[in-house]
Amino acid sequence: MSGHTLSEGITDAELRERFGPVFEEIALGAIGREADRGLPYDEVEALRAAGFGRVRVPVESGGLGATPPQFFRLLIALAEADSNLPQLWRGHIGFVESLLVHQDPKVRERWLRRISAGAVVGNAQSEQGNGSFWENVTTVHAAGSGDDAGWSLSGRKFYSTGSLFADWIQTTATLDAEHSADVLVPAGAPGVRRIDDWDGFGQRLTGSGTTVFEDVRIAPEDVEVYPNGAFRGTTLFAVYQLVHLATLSGIARAAVRDIIAFVHQRGRNLANPLYPQPRLDPQIQQVVGRVRSKSFAASATTLAAVDELDRVHRAQLVQEATAELFDAADLAVFAAQTAVIELVLDLTTEIFEVGGASAVTERFRLDRHWRNARTLASHNPVIYRQTIVGDAALNGTSPSEWITRTWQAVRANQTGASTDAPADSPTVHTPDTARVSPHRSAS
């Protein structure tokens, strides 16, 4: 990709004016959708119509040209309205970020124009029961010849977040023993089945169920082959986790908003009759103050990590990204992951301290905040990210070595070879900005 300067994009005020009313409308129906398991098709369409899918697309490609900090502030606000929506857009968000630094200008521009025209991309990477994200039972092979040449895709994916609402589905498949492929599938193509069978106790409306591909024909330009384990410099590990952290931060804001509203509607204070209005009770004020402080800290921590992402992204655009910048972004996000998860899980439990038994009644559904936060916190387990951060602090180990070690372990498991790095072991975090499908690492 040739270096270029950043175009002047949308302002914060313009973003608020464009999306504020949409988010307000989404928030009005959030509890009802939660109660009735109403999948948010209308809400996705409202966001599409407002241009949410093209917020990060450059102005010259038909987008709004927002910076990473602008976009993640917007994502926190959307999560406050309904935490299902940022997560179901997560695959789309990662796909757009990969396009922004794609090496092939024709691929980059073709897809950015599609995104700007309203296309929504879903995610279908994970498979149940596989030992790693390089082992795909789903396969792709060349099919047809001449004018009918293309590819055929068959397999089954789980955790297909957002694909129920998408026009395209990004997936990965095995080509042969040494190669896999990144495949973009038209969601309505013959042989594609999208099944709403996600049964988690939180984030119930993200469409994170099963996708089945049965001999689906794929156009030649929508398959990108890569050698297994060839992970080059990428921000996508950070981007995917930051979507979760922004969503958690939005959940925290929504929990604080809802508990303030709950306190205001209470007409008695049996536990402390000295303050018959609960909002005047210093102990209730203390709880609300504590959870609001934790919410503030969660958002601030998330946005501080976004600043590190912004640094490496700007360097990528002018081909000046270094391994150190990629590592700094990963370490910032992984460190933030621990802090944000602890803050949000604590505060979504603590909000109940202000209301006694009445706070747990179904009509308030305050439990949804903890359930949704706990579900998000279970993705990309934090215990492994803590180890990466600690190893880097103690031993100067690059976070990218986790990928190399995983690849070596997979190869050893498949071939019985030593886990010592072979001569042809994949290069990780080089200053190359090619999209090489690290989407497979994201759960």
Side-chain angles (χ1 to χ4, degrees):
M1 174 181 178
S2 60
H4 63 277
T5 58
L6 292 168
S7 300
E8 190 72 24
I10 195 167
T11 66
D12 289 340
E14 290 168 337
L15 282 171
R16 288 192 296 270
E17 182 179 0
R18 177 185 286 262
F19 292 104
V22 180
F23 291 0
E24 288 176 9
E25 188 67 27
I26 286 170
L28 289 175
I31 293 180
R33 288 189 298 275
E34 173 85 14
D36 301 332
R37 204 176 186 279
L39 293 171
Y41 289 104
D42 291 344
E43 289 69 29
V44 171
E45 288 306 307
L47 289 167
R48 185 207 302 261
F52 185 79
R54 59 188 178 95
V55 170
R56 285 280 292 131
V57 175
V59 172
E60 58 266 31
S61 298
L64 303 183
T67 65
Q70 285 180 307
F71 177 70
F72 279 97
R73 287 196 295 269
L74 188 70
L75 203 63
I76 291 172
L78 176 58
E80 182 180 355
D82 185 337
S83 67
N84 291 281
L85 287 158
Q87 189 182 359
L88 71 81
W89 282 88
R90 186 168 174 253
H92 180 99
I93 292 164
F95 180 64
V96 170
E97 292 298 321
S98 71
L99 288 173
L100 296 176
V101 293
H102 198 288
Q103 281 189 315
D104 188 333
K106 292 181 179 178
V107 172
R108 186 171 66 248
E109 194 59 26
R110 180 174 73 246
W111 275 102
L112 289 177
R113 291 290 177 185
R114 284 179 177 173
I115 298 297
S116 292
V120 176
V121 179
N123 180 56
Q125 308 293 334
S126 301
E127 297 181 359
Q128 287 185 305
N130 286 352
S132 81
F133 42 77
W134 285 291
E135 297 177 283
N136 287 296
V137 175
T138 299
T139 60
V140 64
H141 63 269
S145 59
D147 292 341
D148 193 40
W151 300 85
S152 177
L153 175 73
S154 294
R156 188 181 189 94
K157 297 287 186 175
F158 198 54
Y159 301 129
S160 306
T161 304
S163 291
L164 280 179
F165 313 94
D167 306 297
W168 292 83
I169 302 170
Q170 185 177 35
T171 192
T172 47
T174 294
L175 178 63
D176 56 40
E178 296 297 327
H179 298 86
S180 296
D182 193 22
V183 185
L184 285 153
V185 187
V192 176
R193 285 192 294 132
R194 293 173 286 177
I195 305 167
D196 180 27
D197 58 354
W198 165 240
D199 62 354
F201 62 60
Q203 295 296 98
R204 292 170 171 171
L205 310 180
T206 58
S208 299
T210 300
T211 302
V212 180
F213 305 109
E214 296 175 332
D215 194 23
V216 181
R217 294 303 302 271
I218 308 295
E221 65 268 21
D222 293 329
V223 174
E224 202 168 330
V225 176
Y226 54 87
N228 291 337
F231 284 78
R232 301 184 182 95
T234 179
T235 61
L236 287 179
F237 293 102
V239 167
Y240 277 123
Q241 192 58 55
L242 279 170
V243 174
H244 283 329
L245 299 187
T247 308
L248 285 163
S249 298
I251 289 171
R253 290 186 183 182
V256 173
R257 176 202 65 205
D258 286 356
I259 205 59
I260 291 172
F262 173 82
V263 171
H264 277 141
Q265 61 80 45
R266 292 190 71 200
R268 63 173 185 160
N269 192 12
L270 182 62
N272 193 354
L274 183 62
Y275 300 97
Q277 291 181 288
R279 65 185 178 85
L280 301 178
D281 186 334
Q283 288 184 289
I284 290 178
Q285 292 170 354
Q286 182 183 19
V287 173
V288 173
R290 193 160 55 238
V291 297
R292 191 169 189 177
S293 298
K294 290 178 179 180
S295 174
F296 174 84
S299 291
T301 302
T302 297
L303 293 173
V306 171
D307 287 341
E308 292 295 326
L309 172 69
D310 191 34
R311 285 180 61 210
V312 67
H313 174 71
R314 288 173 181 272
Q316 283 181 291
L317 292 178
V318 294
Q319 294 189 326
E320 294 179 359
T322 63
E324 290 75 19
L325 283 174
F326 286 115
D327 286 347
D330 284 343
L331 288 171
V333 173
F334 296 165
Q337 185 177 354
T338 291
V340 172
I341 285 173
E342 290 181 356
L343 287 164
V344 178
L345 289 181
D346 283 351
L347 80 86
T348 53
T349 299
E350 198 168 2
I351 58 173
F352 295 95
E353 298 298 332
V354 305
S358 61
V360 302
T361 59
E362 279 290 310
R363 68 190 179 101
F364 296 114
R365 293 193 177 269
L366 294 174
D367 63 301
R368 77 187 190 280
H369 298 307
W370 181 88
R371 288 188 292 99
N372 291 335
R374 180 64 266 177
T375 299
L376 287 166
S378 298
H379 291 277
N380 312 121
V382 71
I383 55 173
Y384 297 106
R385 302 299 173 77
Q386 290 168 339
T387 300
I388 292 169
V389 173
D391 195 8
L394 291 169
N395 305 307
T397 305
S398 165
S400 64
E401 289 189 27
W402 175 82
I403 305 170
T404 304
R405 290 170 183 168
T406 303
W407 168 240
Q408 291 166 3
V410 170
R411 288 186 61 155
N413 184 56
Q414 292 173 338
T415 65
S418 167
T419 58
D420 293 337
D424 62 343
S425 61
T427 301
V428 180
H429 275 355
T430 63
D432 189 329
T433 56
R435 177 164 60 89
V436 287
S437 299
H439 307 83
R440 291 164 292 146
S441 72
S443 62

